[in-house]
């Protein structure tokens, strides 16, 4: 999924009660009612005659207004034998769906199939879809695919997921919560334990989330819409809802993660330290490097290095630190950082960095390397003249 761009749509999922396929569809259709006709038409197209019709009802969960999405009884019966992955893919691809829906729906199914295949030690094409054994579950996948296709340019983020607890009854018997497929699909996601048990995130909900590939929420957003989708369970002391907030990313600070790498040196000369710092500072992926003199054990002076490194460059920079200096140990951790929008220009041969502040003001800083030459008073005069906003 794309990263948020200025003016782009961003959708944040707050899994207060949990996350399932029907909750996802209900929350997004509540927030964006203009998608309802498209999504319901896609769901009808993939369902066989007699399976029922999709519905979107309004109700409450824990006294909170919400929508519920599901499959209504048509008064007839449609046979539905347990299907293999390839059979489900064929049904989706042969249905007359809106552009993009089939691709997303099949991708969600594949995530489920790969998790089941790994759990049972079989080929993906041989996976039996226990978790999508009913027509309403297949409809949830298609609804999610239709929503994602309609919001192809949106970016996504998600809150920490409710862990739940206890056991869940499956075709394989009683299994611990989160279900094995859910846990496998959502490896690496943040979880929280709010003390409320039961299955809070379903395998289908997990596959939808994995396919969305949610990232970080932009620091500055303009809220446009809010929607809530409810699950079928009632939770004690809280609404069982997934809330979706739809916003536009606006100009302003942006957040990103950097790796902070640090170490100490107590047996290098000043010249060696200076040269090592220059060489490390010039490495690709090193955003900044600073040193400070401190005193260690037995009062010995030491030089403390602190580097800001792009996470994807950590391995290379780490090896260089161990090569360019005499340190025998390194420390690192991830930190969030916020950066104000900035632009570079020049005036009379002096490069300038223009920074936009949250209040709309602009500050300008001249590049010091371009101010060399002349007396101190002359350099200060040129600096002051170049930092005046035209």
């Amino acid at each position: 999924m794309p990263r948020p761009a200025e003016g782009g749509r961003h959708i944040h999922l707050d899994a207060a009660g949990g996350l399932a396929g029907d909750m996802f569809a209900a929350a997004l259709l509540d927030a964006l009612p203009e998608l309802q006709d498209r999504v319901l038409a896609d769901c009808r197209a993939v369902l066989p005659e007699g399976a029922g019709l999709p519905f979107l009802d309004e109700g409450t969960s824990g006294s909170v207004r919400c929508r519920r999405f599901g499959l209504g009884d048509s008064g007839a019966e449609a046979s539905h034998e347990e299907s293999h992955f390839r059979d489900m893919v064929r049904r989706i691809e042969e249905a007359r769906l809106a552009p993009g829906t089939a691709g997303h729906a099949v991708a969600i199914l594949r995530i489920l199939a790969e998790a089941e295949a790994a759990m049972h030690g079989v080929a993906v094409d041989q996976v039996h879809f226990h978790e999508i054994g009913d027509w309403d579950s297949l409809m949830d996948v298609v609804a999610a695919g239709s929503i994602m296709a309609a919001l192809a340019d949106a970016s996504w983020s998600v809150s920490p997921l409710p862990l739940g607890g206890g056991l869940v009854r499956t075709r394989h018997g009683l299994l611990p919560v989160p279900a094995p497929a859910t846990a496998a699909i959502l490896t690496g996601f943040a979880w929280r334990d709010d003390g409320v048990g039961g299955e809070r995130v379903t395998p289908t909900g997990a596959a939808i989330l994995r396919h969305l590939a949610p990232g970080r929420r932009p620091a500055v957003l303009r809220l446009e819409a809010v929607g809530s989708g409810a699950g079928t369970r009632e939770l004690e002391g809280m609404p069982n809802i997934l809330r979706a907030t739809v916003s536009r990313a606006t100009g302003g600070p942006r957040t990103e993660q950097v790796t902070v790498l640090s170490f100490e040196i107590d047996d290098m000369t000043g010249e060696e330290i200076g040269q090592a710092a220059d060489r490390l500072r010039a490495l690709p992926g090193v955003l900044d490097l600073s040193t400070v003199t401190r005193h260690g054990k037995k009062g010995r002076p030491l030089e403390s290095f602190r580097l800001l490194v792009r996470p994807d460059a950590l391995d290379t920079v780490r090896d260089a630190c161990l090569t360019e200096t005499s340190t025998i140990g390194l420390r690192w951790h991830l930190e969030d950082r916020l950066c104000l929008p900035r632009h570079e220009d020049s005036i009379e041969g002096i490069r300038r960095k223009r920074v936009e502040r949250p209040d709309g003001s602009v500050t300008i800083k001249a590049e010091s390397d371009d101010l060399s030459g002349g007396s101190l008073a002359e350099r200060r005069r040129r600096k002051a003249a170049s930092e005046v906003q035209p």
Side-chain angles (χ1 to χ4, degrees), residues 218-363:
V220 180
L221 291 168
R222 183 177 67 252
L223 182 64
E224 293 187 341
V226 179
S228 295
T232 56
R233 289 180 56 203
E234 292 295 328
L235 302 181
E236 184 177 353
M238 65 183 302
N240 184 21
I241 62 170
L242 172 72
R243 186 178 70 170
T245 55
V246 182
S247 307
R248 292 280 179 181
T250 64
R254 62 181 175 86
T255 58
E256 63 183 5
Q257 285 195 315
V258 294
T259 301
V260 180
L261 175 65
S262 58
F263 58 91
E264 280 75 45
I265 296 293
D266 65 0
D267 58 354
M268 291 176 65
T269 67
E271 291 83 359
E272 291 172 335
I273 290 172
Q275 185 177 38
D278 287 342
R279 293 169 69 93
L280 293 174
R281 193 177 285 114
L283 289 174
V286 174
L287 303 171
D288 194 14
L289 182 151
S290 59
T291 64
V292 62
T293 302
R294 302 166 60 188
H295 288 83
K297 59 184 179 181
K298 300 181 181 179
R300 291 202 302 263
L302 54 84
E303 201 73 13
S304 179
F305 280 66
R306 181 177 183 272
L307 292 80
L308 297 185
V309 182
R310 296 195 185 281
D312 58 0
L314 175 60
D315 289 348
T316 299
V317 176
R318 187 173 52 194
D319 291 345
C321 289
L322 296 174
T323 301
E324 298 291 346
T325 75
S326 62
T327 187
I328 59 174
L330 306 171
R331 304 179 301 277
W332 64 88
H333 63 275
L334 282 175
E335 281 190 1
D336 294 333
R337 76 168 186 169
L338 182 147
C339 299
L340 293 173
R342 63 198 67 187
H343 309 281
E344 292 188 359
D345 63 10
S346 64
I347 182 171
E348 295 182 0
I350 299 174
R351 290 169 295 170
R352 311 186 306 172
K353 183 181 295 181
R354 300 167 59 90
V355 177
E356 300 175 12
R357 302 289 170 180
D359 62 0
S361 63
V362 176
T363 55

Side-chain angles (χ1 to χ4, degrees), residues 94-118:
E94 291 178 353
R96 298 184 63 180
L97 304 175
T101 296
H104 286 288
V106 169
I108 295 168
L109 281 179
R110 181 171 293 279
I111 292 170
L112 278 169
E114 290 174 348
E116 290 279 347

Side-chain angles (χ1 to χ4, degrees), residues 25-108:
L28 269 298
L29 295 181
D30 187 32
L32 300 169
E34 64 271 21
L35 300 183
Q36 292 180 16
D37 289 346
R38 171 199 170 109
V39 173
L40 294 178
D42 278 349
C43 292
R44 288 192 295 267
V46 82
L47 294 170
E49 185 176 355
L53 295 174
F55 69 82
L56 185 65
D57 283 348
E58 187 163 338
T60 61
S61 177
S63 300
V64 175
R65 179 207 158 276
C66 60
R67 286 295 187 99
R68 284 187 168 86
F69 177 76
L71 182 62
D73 186 0
S74 68
E77 292 187 1
S79 62
H80 189 21
E81 298 179 357
E82 189 173 291
S83 297
H84 290 93
F85 170 69
R86 60 177 179 271
D87 301 321
M88 305 295 274
V89 170
R90 185 181 305 113
R91 170 166 287 278
I92 293 172
E93 291 181 340
E94 291 178 353
R96 298 184 63 180
L97 304 175
T101 296
H104 286 288
V106 169
I108 295 168

